[in-house]
Amino acid sequence: QHLLHISWAERPLRGSPFHVTVHGPSEASRIVCSGEGLHQGVLGQEIKSLIDTRRAGPGDLTARCVGPTKPAYCELYDHQNNTYTLSIKPQESGKHELIIEYNGDQVPGSPFNLRVAAAPDASRVHVYGPGVEHGVLDTFQSRFVCETKGAGAGQLTVRIRGPRGAFRVEMEREYQKDRTIICRYDPCEPGEYQLHIKWSGSHVPGSPFVVNIFKTAAELAAYLERHPQGAGGGGHSNGAIFDF
């Protein structure tokens, strides 16, 4: 606290002495930033992080974010306790650079590499393989592939309905960072199976797949003549989930 004396002709001005509060220099190095929104997000969804300035003293907090070709919108919400919520709204997917400054100095971790994934698009998921086709039990191959490349960030869900106790569901990624998922459900008795395959809650093209499994090749041939597209049905169900 300081007192500022101002006088004219040795007489103090009205209000003098003035009370002046002088704060110490702000320290951007004491800013703490946290939250997944500093490093990753999904286009069209909330991307948020928390910024704590309580140990840094008074200052001016700013944030800006730049994408591959377009800037992202940044909004700081003041909680009135020297903490802030940073909300980012990108205009495009891809790698973004997030710069957070306090009194013109970058805070620890800035610039942050923010990767914005495309919004989930179930129509871009491609499902194929013998496991989604009619067949004969003794020679049936239940393997099928879900290719999610280009479908954005999301969750792959596979749920199968069929005769009770007739199968189990397995899902595995072909390679650790691959977008191709190999699925198996290994039925052990004939019947009708429905494969509900969803990407972030939405059915992929062709889902639900209806697969009929027969005891003999003759039964399969007869069925295909009568019902080339199959029909719905269901009983016991099981499933598996994969996140991207």
Side-chain angles (χ1 to χ4, degrees):
Q1 296 290 332
H2 291 66
L3 291 177
L4 175 61
H5 297 266
I6 304 178
S7 61
W8 175 257
E10 297 185 355
R11 298 182 61 182
L13 297 183
R14 181 179 298 176
S16 181
F18 299 93
H19 293 269
V20 179
T21 301
V22 179
H23 297 280
S26 65
E27 297 186 31
S29 62
R30 294 189 173 187
I31 302 293
V32 178
C33 301
S34 59
E36 291 187 1
L38 297 171
H39 306 287
Q40 61 183 3
V42 178
L43 190 66
Q45 298 182 13
E46 287 188 341
I47 301 177
K48 291 186 176 182
S49 57
L50 181 65
I51 303 175
D52 187 343
T53 69
R54 288 175 292 187
R55 298 178 59 242
D60 184 25
L61 179 67
T62 60
R64 64 183 186 273
C65 186
V66 181
T69 61
K70 301 177 182 178
Y73 299 105
C74 295
E75 182 178 1
L76 285 165
Y77 176 78
D78 188 352
H79 294 283
Q80 304 299 322
N81 61 354
N82 293 320
T83 66
Y84 301 80
T85 293
L86 172 61
S87 178
I88 302 174
K89 296 181 179 179
Q91 301 185 71
E92 60 184 338
S93 60
K95 183 180 179 180
H96 287 61
E97 184 179 64
L98 172 60
I99 299 173
I100 301 176
E101 295 179 329
Y102 199 65
N103 280 347
D105 296 325
Q106 294 200 52
V107 305
S110 179
F112 298 91
N113 291 322
L114 172 60
R115 294 191 176 275
V116 179
D121 183 359
S123 67
R124 301 292 296 275
V125 178
H126 182 41
V127 180
Y128 60 92
V132 292
E133 302 172 357
H134 305 303
V136 178
L137 182 62
D138 290 342
T139 59
F140 187 75
Q141 299 181 34
S142 66
R143 180 182 182 276
F144 63 93
V145 175
C146 296
E147 176 58 68
T148 66
K149 185 177 181 179
Q155 182 184 79
L156 180 68
T157 304
V158 177
R159 301 201 179 277
I160 302 177
R161 298 174 60 88
R164 183 174 297 275
F167 61 92
R168 58 190 176 92
V169 181
E170 296 180 356
M171 297 174 66
E172 63 180 358
R173 189 175 295 179
E174 191 167 15
Y175 300 103
Q176 184 62 29
K177 295 184 178 181
D178 200 2
R179 304 274 305 195
T180 302
I181 303 300
I182 300 174
C183 306
R184 297 180 180 86
Y185 57 102
D186 297 331
C188 59
E189 68 178 62
E192 181 181 271
Y193 295 79
Q194 288 189 28
L195 284 66
H196 296 259
I197 304 175
K198 296 183 179 181
W199 182 247
S200 290
S202 298
H203 281 282
V204 305
S207 179
F209 297 86
V210 178
V211 178
N212 286 276
I213 303 175
F214 300 90
K215 290 183 178 180
T216 66
E219 290 177 336
L220 171 61
Y223 176 84
L224 293 177
E225 287 186 11
R226 299 191 306 269
H227 309 286
Q229 298 299 324
H236 183 67
S237 66
N238 202 345
I241 298 174
F242 233 100
D243 285 303
F244 288 85

